[in-house]
Amino acid sequence: MRIKADITPKYLWFVFLVGLLISPVLSQACVLLSRRHLNNLKLMVISDSFLVACLREIQAFDLPIENGSDAHPIKSDIKEVLYEVTIDALSIFNQYNPNSTWEKKHLTEIKMGLAEQIMYLEQCIQEEKKSNNHVKGMKEDKMEYSGEKVFPPVTLKWRSYFHRIKDYLKDKKYSSCAWRIVQVEIRRCFSYLFTKLLSKK
């Protein structure tokens, strides 16, 4: 399996801006969510020179994707999926304890970005649900974000996907190369979900 450090299309910024222009009016949280997600993708870029030294550690994690009869209903709950995926990603990065000062600073930026993305996702989903209830003439749902699970769980395949990543890190004893491979894989996952987020608009 060949992993590229920069999987995001070169013109993703352009696609993102066009998506905002042709989309219905979005709440501020939803707009900030897309921007934050794109910034997180940029933060997770790893140079090819770092990956070359870790080629022997590369492993296929089988990212769940929509494919034929085995398609997952992502478009209908993309933000809920992204919400739980971001929580899982943050949980993984919280286990990393790099040695160098630069890596520690970079890791802090990634974790802060993921935490901010979770906040925007909560606000965006809440606002969309309120808007949908208003249109339908229904009473607004009261949603509380107290750390408890408030969104539908991701599919079993998505959960298994992150279990494979965690098992890989454990098997590799959380080596530097293993962390680089995982960072590239999580970025690939986020890139895929970002394209789904744009296509849903």
Side-chain angles (χ1 to χ4, degrees):
M1 176 185 175
R2 184 180 180 184
I3 296 182
K4 295 182 180 180
D6 189 359
I7 301 171
T8 309
K10 294 180 180 179
Y11 304 106
L12 197 53
W13 264 112
F14 175 76
V15 174
F16 165 61
L17 292 173
V18 171
L20 288 181
L21 290 174
I22 65 176
S23 302
V25 177
L26 299 175
S27 69
Q28 182 180 12
C30 294
V31 172
L32 292 174
L33 164 63
S34 294
R35 293 175 181 171
R36 179 68 266 173
H37 189 78
L38 192 55
N39 286 334
N40 285 341
L41 285 174
K42 294 172 67 176
L43 280 173
M44 291 185 215
V45 171
I46 293 182
S47 67
D48 292 332
S49 59
F50 281 116
L51 287 177
V52 168
C54 302
L55 290 178
R56 293 184 178 181
E57 306 294 331
I58 291 177
Q59 177 172 315
F61 296 100
D62 299 327
L63 172 69
I65 59 175
E66 291 179 296
N67 184 14
S69 60
D70 192 35
H72 303 288
I74 287 185
K75 280 195 175 183
S76 62
D77 60 353
I78 178 62
K79 291 187 179 70
E80 286 86 350
V81 171
L82 182 57
Y83 175 80
E84 299 236 13
V85 164
T86 307
I87 289 177
D88 280 333
L90 180 57
S91 173
I92 288 174
F93 281 115
N94 277 334
Q95 299 176 47
Y96 187 27
N97 186 25
N99 295 320
S100 72
T101 301
W102 181 88
E103 283 184 306
K104 288 181 179 179
K105 181 180 178 180
H106 187 222
L107 177 63
T108 298
E109 291 177 349
I110 291 176
K111 292 195 293 186
M112 289 177 63
L114 293 176
E116 192 173 78
Q117 180 165 304
I118 291 171
M119 178 186 70
Y120 289 144
L121 277 162
E122 291 177 346
Q123 294 174 0
C124 181
I125 294 173
Q126 184 180 28
E127 289 167 4
E128 285 189 347
K129 286 184 179 293
K130 287 182 178 181
S131 177
N132 291 337
N133 287 338
H134 178 72
V135 171
K136 295 177 182 179
M138 297 172 60
K139 184 177 180 179
E140 293 183 355
D141 293 331
K142 294 182 179 179
M143 299 177 63
E144 297 181 358
Y145 300 100
S146 57
E148 300 179 358
K149 189 177 295 299
V150 290
F151 303 121
V154 296
T155 63
L156 178 60
K157 289 190 176 183
W158 279 97
R159 289 193 177 280
S160 298
Y161 168 72
F162 275 96
H163 277 304
R164 288 192 292 273
I165 291 177
K166 293 175 182 177
D167 288 342
Y168 167 79
L169 283 170
K170 188 180 297 184
D171 291 341
K172 297 297 181 179
K173 299 181 179 179
Y174 304 94
S175 67
S176 296
C177 272
W179 277 111
R180 289 169 184 168
I181 297 301
V182 165
Q183 184 171 321
V184 170
E185 179 62 25
I186 291 178
R187 186 176 187 277
R188 186 169 79 100
C189 169
F190 273 31
S191 180
Y192 168 73
L193 291 175
F194 187 67
T195 60
K196 293 299 175 183
L197 186 64
L198 288 178
S199 65
K200 184 178 181 294
K201 293 178 181 181

Tab-separated table of all heavy atoms in Angstrom, residues 80-131:
chain	number	residue	atom	x	y	z
A	80	GLU	N	-22.717	13.860	12.022
A	80	GLU	CA	-22.688	12.980	13.188
A	80	GLU	C	-21.500	12.023	13.112
A	80	GLU	O	-20.824	11.756	14.116
A	80	GLU	CB	-23.999	12.187	13.294
A	80	GLU	CG	-25.198	12.992	13.761
A	80	GLU	CD	-25.897	13.694	12.594
A	80	GLU	OE1	-25.333	13.698	11.473
A	80	GLU	OE2	-26.992	14.236	12.805
A	81	VAL	N	-21.244	11.508	11.904
A	81	VAL	CA	-20.093	10.630	11.714
A	81	VAL	C	-18.804	11.402	11.986
A	81	VAL	O	-17.921	10.935	12.709
A	81	VAL	CB	-20.071	10.056	10.279
A	81	VAL	CG1	-18.752	9.329	10.018
A	81	VAL	CG2	-21.240	9.110	10.065
A	82	LEU	N	-18.709	12.595	11.425
A	82	LEU	CA	-17.510	13.413	11.608
A	82	LEU	C	-17.306	13.768	13.075
A	82	LEU	O	-16.167	13.825	13.563
A	82	LEU	CB	-17.622	14.685	10.760
A	82	LEU	CG	-16.422	15.634	10.786
A	82	LEU	CD1	-15.145	14.917	10.357
A	82	LEU	CD2	-16.676	16.840	9.877
A	83	TYR	N	-18.404	13.994	13.784
A	83	TYR	CA	-18.330	14.316	15.215
A	83	TYR	C	-17.642	13.186	15.983
A	83	TYR	O	-16.683	13.409	16.727
A	83	TYR	CB	-19.742	14.546	15.755
A	83	TYR	CG	-19.825	14.778	17.246
A	83	TYR	CD1	-19.542	16.020	17.799
A	83	TYR	CD2	-20.197	13.749	18.107
A	83	TYR	CE1	-19.630	16.242	19.170
A	83	TYR	CE2	-20.282	13.955	19.480
A	83	TYR	CZ	-19.990	15.197	20.009
A	83	TYR	OH	-20.078	15.397	21.361
A	84	GLU	N	-18.117	11.964	15.780
A	84	GLU	CA	-17.551	10.827	16.521
A	84	GLU	C	-16.139	10.495	16.037
A	84	GLU	O	-15.275	10.120	16.825
A	84	GLU	CB	-18.475	9.622	16.375
A	84	GLU	CG	-19.867	9.861	16.937
A	84	GLU	CD	-20.269	8.843	17.962
A	84	GLU	OE1	-19.391	8.081	18.428
A	84	GLU	OE2	-21.448	8.793	18.316
A	85	VAL	N	-15.901	10.630	14.741
A	85	VAL	CA	-14.572	10.374	14.194
A	85	VAL	C	-13.563	11.365	14.771
A	85	VAL	O	-12.430	10.991	15.114
A	85	VAL	CB	-14.603	10.467	12.654
A	85	VAL	CG1	-13.194	10.588	12.092
A	85	VAL	CG2	-15.297	9.236	12.066
A	86	THR	N	-13.968	12.634	14.902
A	86	THR	CA	-13.067	13.651	15.461
A	86	THR	C	-12.749	13.349	16.918
A	86	THR	O	-11.608	13.525	17.366
A	86	THR	CB	-13.688	15.061	15.342
A	86	THR	OG1	-14.066	15.301	13.987
A	86	THR	CG2	-12.695	16.122	15.773
A	87	ILE	N	-13.739	12.879	17.668
A	87	ILE	CA	-13.508	12.501	19.065
A	87	ILE	C	-12.513	11.346	19.142
A	87	ILE	O	-11.588	11.350	19.969
A	87	ILE	CB	-14.834	12.113	19.753
A	87	ILE	CG1	-15.705	13.355	19.967
A	87	ILE	CG2	-14.573	11.425	21.093
A	87	ILE	CD1	-17.061	13.058	20.572
A	88	ASP	N	-12.679	10.352	18.263
A	88	ASP	CA	-11.753	9.219	18.241
A	88	ASP	C	-10.347	9.667	17.867
A	88	ASP	O	-9.357	9.206	18.449
A	88	ASP	CB	-12.244	8.161	17.250
A	88	ASP	CG	-13.347	7.286	17.823
A	88	ASP	OD1	-13.387	7.119	19.047
A	88	ASP	OD2	-14.169	6.775	17.040
A	89	ALA	N	-10.263	10.568	16.892
A	89	ALA	CA	-8.952	11.067	16.462
A	89	ALA	C	-8.257	11.824	17.592
A	89	ALA	O	-7.054	11.638	17.839
A	89	ALA	CB	-9.114	11.972	15.246
A	90	LEU	N	-9.015	12.668	18.292
A	90	LEU	CA	-8.436	13.422	19.406
A	90	LEU	C	-7.976	12.481	20.507
A	90	LEU	O	-6.918	12.685	21.118
A	90	LEU	CB	-9.470	14.413	19.953
A	90	LEU	CG	-9.019	15.292	21.129
A	90	LEU	CD1	-7.774	16.091	20.768
A	90	LEU	CD2	-10.149	16.236	21.552
A	91	SER	N	-8.748	11.435	20.745
A	91	SER	CA	-8.377	10.444	21.759
A	91	SER	C	-7.047	9.778	21.409
A	91	SER	O	-6.196	9.541	22.284
A	91	SER	CB	-9.475	9.377	21.869
A	91	SER	OG	-9.079	8.326	22.733
A	92	ILE	N	-6.843	9.493	20.125
A	92	ILE	CA	-5.593	8.877	19.681
A	92	ILE	C	-4.422	9.843	19.845
A	92	ILE	O	-3.367	9.484	20.374
A	92	ILE	CB	-5.718	8.423	18.212
A	92	ILE	CG1	-6.631	7.190	18.133
A	92	ILE	CG2	-4.344	8.094	17.626
A	92	ILE	CD1	-6.940	6.734	16.732
A	93	PHE	N	-4.597	11.092	19.404
A	93	PHE	CA	-3.510	12.063	19.511
A	93	PHE	C	-3.180	12.397	20.968
A	93	PHE	O	-2.050	12.788	21.276
A	93	PHE	CB	-3.861	13.336	18.748
A	93	PHE	CG	-3.657	13.232	17.264
A	93	PHE	CD1	-4.726	13.303	16.387
A	93	PHE	CD2	-2.386	13.033	16.733
A	93	PHE	CE1	-4.545	13.197	15.021
A	93	PHE	CE2	-2.183	12.931	15.365
A	93	PHE	CZ	-3.261	13.005	14.505
A	94	ASN	N	-4.141	12.256	21.850
A	94	ASN	CA	-3.889	12.521	23.273
A	94	ASN	C	-2.924	11.499	23.878
A	94	ASN	O	-2.351	11.736	24.945
A	94	ASN	CB	-5.208	12.504	24.059
A	94	ASN	CG	-5.935	13.828	23.983
A	94	ASN	OD1	-5.323	14.877	23.788
A	94	ASN	ND2	-7.247	13.807	24.143
A	95	GLN	N	-2.746	10.359	23.194
A	95	GLN	CA	-1.836	9.328	23.701
A	95	GLN	C	-0.387	9.568	23.271
A	95	GLN	O	0.525	8.919	23.768
A	95	GLN	CB	-2.279	7.951	23.194
A	95	GLN	CG	-3.664	7.529	23.635
A	95	GLN	CD	-4.058	6.194	23.020
A	95	GLN	OE1	-3.294	5.245	23.024
A	95	GLN	NE2	-5.263	6.118	22.483
A	96	TYR	N	-0.205	10.486	22.321
A	96	TYR	CA	1.132	10.714	21.765
A	96	TYR	C	1.934	11.645	22.655
A	96	TYR	O	1.464	12.701	23.058
A	96	TYR	CB	0.988	11.305	20.361
A	96	TYR	CG	2.284	11.447	19.595
A	96	TYR	CD1	3.373	10.619	19.857
A	96	TYR	CD2	2.411	12.414	18.602
A	96	TYR	CE1	4.545	10.744	19.152
A	96	TYR	CE2	3.592	12.547	17.869
A	96	TYR	CZ	4.661	11.709	18.157
A	96	TYR	OH	5.823	11.839	17.450
A	97	ASN	N	3.177	11.253	22.935
A	97	ASN	CA	4.059	12.066	23.762
A	97	ASN	C	5.401	12.226	23.043
A	97	ASN	O	6.370	11.511	23.318
A	97	ASN	CB	4.270	11.413	25.133
A	97	ASN	CG	5.072	12.307	26.065
A	97	ASN	OD1	5.085	13.527	25.921
A	97	ASN	ND2	5.751	11.689	27.022
A	98	PRO	N	5.462	13.167	22.089
A	98	PRO	CA	6.687	13.335	21.299
A	98	PRO	C	7.855	13.846	22.138
A	98	PRO	O	7.669	14.404	23.222
A	98	PRO	CB	6.273	14.359	20.241
A	98	PRO	CG	5.171	15.138	20.882
A	98	PRO	CD	4.433	14.157	21.725
A	99	ASN	N	9.059	13.658	21.593
A	99	ASN	CA	10.266	14.058	22.324
A	99	ASN	C	10.685	15.492	22.040
A	99	ASN	O	11.047	16.236	22.952
A	99	ASN	CB	11.423	13.107	21.972
A	99	ASN	CG	11.148	11.696	22.445
A	99	ASN	OD1	10.628	11.500	23.533
A	99	ASN	ND2	11.508	10.706	21.616
A	100	SER	N	10.654	15.872	20.773
A	100	SER	CA	11.161	17.195	20.420
A	100	SER	C	10.169	18.307	20.756
A	100	SER	O	8.961	18.087	20.786
A	100	SER	CB	11.482	17.244	18.922
A	100	SER	OG	10.305	17.249	18.146
A	101	THR	N	10.727	19.496	21.002
A	101	THR	CA	9.894	20.652	21.328
A	101	THR	C	8.982	21.014	20.151
A	101	THR	O	7.818	21.359	20.339
A	101	THR	CB	10.776	21.859	21.677
A	101	THR	OG1	11.617	21.522	22.790
A	101	THR	CG2	9.920	23.066	22.052
A	102	TRP	N	9.540	20.923	18.933
A	102	TRP	CA	8.748	21.267	17.743
A	102	TRP	C	7.565	20.325	17.595
A	102	TRP	O	6.445	20.761	17.319
A	102	TRP	CB	9.622	21.185	16.490
A	102	TRP	CG	8.856	21.549	15.250
A	102	TRP	CD1	8.686	22.799	14.733
A	102	TRP	CD2	8.124	20.661	14.402
A	102	TRP	NE1	7.883	22.738	13.602
A	102	TRP	CE2	7.530	21.444	13.372
A	102	TRP	CE3	7.907	19.279	14.397
A	102	TRP	CZ2	6.738	20.879	12.369
A	102	TRP	CZ3	7.118	18.719	13.392
A	102	TRP	CH2	6.549	19.526	12.400
A	103	GLU	N	7.796	19.029	17.787
A	103	GLU	CA	6.711	18.046	17.655
A	103	GLU	C	5.639	18.273	18.718
A	103	GLU	O	4.453	18.125	18.442
A	103	GLU	CB	7.271	16.625	17.765
A	103	GLU	CG	7.974	16.134	16.527
A	103	GLU	CD	8.415	14.688	16.653
A	103	GLU	OE1	9.112	14.371	17.643
A	103	GLU	OE2	8.071	13.882	15.779
A	104	LYS	N	6.073	18.625	19.922
A	104	LYS	CA	5.109	18.881	20.999
A	104	LYS	C	4.236	20.091	20.656
A	104	LYS	O	3.016	20.067	20.882
A	104	LYS	CB	5.841	19.114	22.321
A	104	LYS	CG	6.460	17.860	22.908
A	104	LYS	CD	7.161	18.147	24.236
A	104	LYS	CE	7.758	16.874	24.816
A	104	LYS	NZ	8.461	17.129	26.103
A	105	LYS	N	4.853	21.134	20.114
A	105	LYS	CA	4.100	22.324	19.731
A	105	LYS	C	3.121	22.009	18.601
A	105	LYS	O	1.961	22.435	18.627
A	105	LYS	CB	5.061	23.428	19.302
A	105	LYS	CG	4.365	24.728	18.905
A	105	LYS	CD	5.374	25.788	18.481
A	105	LYS	CE	4.651	27.069	18.046
A	105	LYS	NZ	5.617	28.122	17.619
A	106	HIS	N	3.599	21.250	17.617
A	106	HIS	CA	2.751	20.875	16.489
A	106	HIS	C	1.594	19.999	16.949
A	106	HIS	O	0.445	20.167	16.517
A	106	HIS	CB	3.585	20.136	15.443
A	106	HIS	CG	2.847	19.851	14.185
A	106	HIS	ND1	2.942	18.657	13.527
A	106	HIS	CD2	1.971	20.601	13.448
A	106	HIS	CE1	2.179	18.675	12.446
A	106	HIS	NE2	1.581	19.840	12.387
A	107	LEU	N	1.873	19.053	17.845
A	107	LEU	CA	0.828	18.174	18.369
A	107	LEU	C	-0.223	18.982	19.132
A	107	LEU	O	-1.420	18.715	19.018
A	107	LEU	CB	1.442	17.113	19.286
A	107	LEU	CG	0.455	16.157	19.959
A	107	LEU	CD1	-0.290	15.326	18.908
A	107	LEU	CD2	1.180	15.241	20.949
A	108	THR	N	0.227	19.973	19.885
A	108	THR	CA	-0.707	20.831	20.620
A	108	THR	C	-1.644	21.559	19.660
A	108	THR	O	-2.851	21.664	19.917
A	108	THR	CB	0.058	21.853	21.479
A	108	THR	OG1	0.852	21.159	22.446
A	108	THR	CG2	-0.913	22.780	22.212
A	109	GLU	N	-1.104	22.034	18.543
A	109	GLU	CA	-1.930	22.717	17.542
A	109	GLU	C	-2.971	21.772	16.950
A	109	GLU	O	-4.128	22.154	16.739
A	109	GLU	CB	-1.035	23.282	16.431
A	109	GLU	CG	-0.158	24.442	16.884
A	109	GLU	CD	0.760	24.921	15.770
A	109	GLU	OE1	0.860	24.218	14.737
A	109	GLU	OE2	1.381	25.981	15.931
A	110	ILE	N	-2.562	20.536	16.676
A	110	ILE	CA	-3.496	19.551	16.132
A	110	ILE	C	-4.613	19.266	17.128
A	110	ILE	O	-5.802	19.251	16.768
A	110	ILE	CB	-2.760	18.244	15.772
A	110	ILE	CG1	-1.842	18.466	14.569
A	110	ILE	CG2	-3.763	17.126	15.465
A	110	ILE	CD1	-1.007	17.251	14.197
A	111	LYS	N	-4.252	19.055	18.377
A	111	LYS	CA	-5.261	18.724	19.396
A	111	LYS	C	-6.212	19.888	19.640
A	111	LYS	O	-7.421	19.697	19.817
A	111	LYS	CB	-4.566	18.293	20.699
A	111	LYS	CG	-3.832	16.957	20.576
A	111	LYS	CD	-3.461	16.361	21.913
A	111	LYS	CE	-2.441	17.173	22.643
A	111	LYS	NZ	-1.991	16.495	23.893
A	112	MET	N	-5.688	21.103	19.654
A	112	MET	CA	-6.538	22.283	19.820
A	112	MET	C	-7.490	22.430	18.631
A	112	MET	O	-8.662	22.774	18.791
A	112	MET	CB	-5.679	23.533	19.976
A	112	MET	CG	-4.948	23.624	21.301
A	112	MET	SD	-3.875	25.089	21.418
A	112	MET	CE	-5.094	26.403	21.312
A	113	GLY	N	-6.969	22.132	17.428
A	113	GLY	CA	-7.800	22.203	16.233
A	113	GLY	C	-8.923	21.179	16.264
A	113	GLY	O	-10.068	21.478	15.893
A	114	LEU	N	-8.618	19.974	16.708
A	114	LEU	CA	-9.638	18.925	16.794
A	114	LEU	C	-10.685	19.260	17.853
A	114	LEU	O	-11.887	19.035	17.651
A	114	LEU	CB	-8.984	17.576	17.106
A	114	LEU	CG	-8.093	16.991	16.003
A	114	LEU	CD1	-7.421	15.704	16.482
A	114	LEU	CD2	-8.911	16.722	14.746
A	115	ALA	N	-10.239	19.794	18.991
A	115	ALA	CA	-11.169	20.180	20.043
A	115	ALA	C	-12.105	21.290	19.557
A	115	ALA	O	-13.317	21.279	19.849
A	115	ALA	CB	-10.404	20.646	21.281
A	116	GLU	N	-11.563	22.223	18.797
A	116	GLU	CA	-12.371	23.310	18.247
A	116	GLU	C	-13.361	22.769	17.218
A	116	GLU	O	-14.512	23.206	17.155
A	116	GLU	CB	-11.452	24.342	17.598
A	116	GLU	CG	-12.152	25.654	17.257
A	116	GLU	CD	-11.174	26.716	16.773
A	116	GLU	OE1	-10.760	26.653	15.592
A	116	GLU	OE2	-10.795	27.576	17.588
A	117	GLN	N	-12.926	21.786	16.450
A	117	GLN	CA	-13.814	21.177	15.457
A	117	GLN	C	-14.990	20.479	16.136
A	117	GLN	O	-16.125	20.544	15.664
A	117	GLN	CB	-13.025	20.173	14.607
A	117	GLN	CG	-13.867	19.484	13.545
A	117	GLN	CD	-13.006	18.790	12.518
A	117	GLN	OE1	-12.156	19.410	11.901
A	117	GLN	NE2	-13.221	17.503	12.313
A	118	ILE	N	-14.724	19.811	17.237
A	118	ILE	CA	-15.795	19.153	17.994
A	118	ILE	C	-16.813	20.187	18.470
A	118	ILE	O	-18.030	19.975	18.385
A	118	ILE	CB	-15.209	18.371	19.196
A	118	ILE	CG1	-14.409	17.172	18.707
A	118	ILE	CG2	-16.326	17.911	20.140
A	118	ILE	CD1	-13.627	16.461	19.792
A	119	MET	N	-16.322	21.319	18.966
A	119	MET	CA	-17.212	22.381	19.439
A	119	MET	C	-18.091	22.900	18.305
A	119	MET	O	-19.312	23.059	18.462
A	119	MET	CB	-16.380	23.526	20.023
A	119	MET	CG	-17.215	24.713	20.499
A	119	MET	SD	-16.182	26.112	21.027
A	119	MET	CE	-15.519	26.659	19.432
A	120	TYR	N	-17.492	23.169	17.134
A	120	TYR	CA	-18.266	23.669	15.997
A	120	TYR	C	-19.269	22.628	15.508
A	120	TYR	O	-20.382	22.968	15.094
A	120	TYR	CB	-17.337	24.077	14.856
A	120	TYR	CG	-16.545	25.335	15.122
A	120	TYR	CD1	-15.239	25.478	14.660
A	120	TYR	CD2	-17.102	26.387	15.845
A	120	TYR	CE1	-14.517	26.637	14.902
A	120	TYR	CE2	-16.378	27.543	16.089
A	120	TYR	CZ	-15.079	27.663	15.622
A	120	TYR	OH	-14.364	28.804	15.864
A	121	LEU	N	-18.880	21.365	15.552
A	121	LEU	CA	-19.795	20.305	15.137
A	121	LEU	C	-21.016	20.258	16.048
A	121	LEU	O	-22.155	20.122	15.579
A	121	LEU	CB	-19.077	18.950	15.147
A	121	LEU	CG	-18.255	18.615	13.908
A	121	LEU	CD1	-17.268	17.491	14.194
A	121	LEU	CD2	-19.181	18.235	12.751
A	122	GLU	N	-20.787	20.363	17.341
A	122	GLU	CA	-21.906	20.360	18.290
A	122	GLU	C	-22.859	21.515	18.009
A	122	GLU	O	-24.089	21.335	17.954
A	122	GLU	CB	-21.366	20.439	19.720
A	122	GLU	CG	-20.637	19.187	20.173
A	122	GLU	CD	-20.064	19.329	21.566
A	122	GLU	OE1	-19.999	20.479	22.074
A	122	GLU	OE2	-19.691	18.312	22.172
A	123	GLN	N	-22.285	22.701	17.822
A	123	GLN	CA	-23.111	23.881	17.571
A	123	GLN	C	-23.837	23.782	16.232
A	123	GLN	O	-25.026	24.106	16.129
A	123	GLN	CB	-22.234	25.137	17.606
A	123	GLN	CG	-21.637	25.433	18.964
A	123	GLN	CD	-20.650	26.593	18.930
A	123	GLN	OE1	-20.404	27.190	17.877
A	123	GLN	NE2	-20.076	26.913	20.076
A	124	CYS	N	-23.116	23.341	15.197
A	124	CYS	CA	-23.693	23.239	13.856
A	124	CYS	C	-24.843	22.237	13.820
A	124	CYS	O	-25.913	22.521	13.265
A	124	CYS	CB	-22.607	22.832	12.865
A	124	CYS	SG	-23.176	22.684	11.161
A	125	ILE	N	-24.640	21.079	14.415
A	125	ILE	CA	-25.689	20.046	14.427
A	125	ILE	C	-26.895	20.522	15.220
A	125	ILE	O	-28.046	20.329	14.821
A	125	ILE	CB	-25.138	18.732	15.011
A	125	ILE	CG1	-24.069	18.155	14.074
A	125	ILE	CG2	-26.261	17.719	15.209
A	125	ILE	CD1	-23.336	16.963	14.631
A	126	GLN	N	-26.634	21.180	16.348
A	126	GLN	CA	-27.732	21.694	17.159
A	126	GLN	C	-28.540	22.735	16.381
A	126	GLN	O	-29.780	22.697	16.381
A	126	GLN	CB	-27.183	22.312	18.448
A	126	GLN	CG	-28.291	22.787	19.389
A	126	GLN	CD	-27.714	23.403	20.649
A	126	GLN	OE1	-26.609	23.945	20.635
A	126	GLN	NE2	-28.446	23.326	21.738
A	127	GLU	N	-27.851	23.642	15.709
A	127	GLU	CA	-28.534	24.693	14.965
A	127	GLU	C	-29.324	24.122	13.791
A	127	GLU	O	-30.431	24.581	13.483
A	127	GLU	CB	-27.521	25.731	14.476
A	127	GLU	CG	-26.949	26.583	15.606
A	127	GLU	CD	-25.737	27.393	15.179
A	127	GLU	OE1	-25.397	27.349	13.982
A	127	GLU	OE2	-25.126	28.050	16.043
A	128	GLU	N	-28.775	23.110	13.124
A	128	GLU	CA	-29.489	22.484	12.012
A	128	GLU	C	-30.737	21.765	12.487
A	128	GLU	O	-31.777	21.804	11.832
A	128	GLU	CB	-28.563	21.507	11.281
A	128	GLU	CG	-27.521	22.193	10.411
A	128	GLU	CD	-26.767	21.224	9.528
A	128	GLU	OE1	-26.883	19.996	9.759
A	128	GLU	OE2	-26.091	21.686	8.604
A	129	LYS	N	-30.642	21.111	13.623
A	129	LYS	CA	-31.818	20.426	14.159
A	129	LYS	C	-32.902	21.428	14.554
A	129	LYS	O	-34.091	21.192	14.331
A	129	LYS	CB	-31.422	19.560	15.365
A	129	LYS	CG	-30.663	18.296	14.989
A	129	LYS	CD	-30.388	17.440	16.201
A	129	LYS	CE	-29.657	16.164	15.806
A	129	LYS	NZ	-30.503	15.265	14.992
A	130	LYS	N	-32.495	22.541	15.142
A	130	LYS	CA	-33.463	23.573	15.509
A	130	LYS	C	-34.129	24.140	14.262
A	130	LYS	O	-35.339	24.374	14.238
A	130	LYS	CB	-32.777	24.691	16.291
A	130	LYS	CG	-32.405	24.315	17.717
A	130	LYS	CD	-31.778	25.500	18.432
A	130	LYS	CE	-31.448	25.155	19.884
A	130	LYS	NZ	-30.857	26.315	20.599
A	131	SER	N	-33.318	24.367	13.226
A	131	SER	CA	-33.855	24.908	11.976
A	131	SER	C	-34.835	23.935	11.339
A	131	SER	O	-35.905	24.328	10.869
A	131	SER	CB	-32.708	25.204	11.007
A	131	SER	OG	-33.202	25.663	9.765
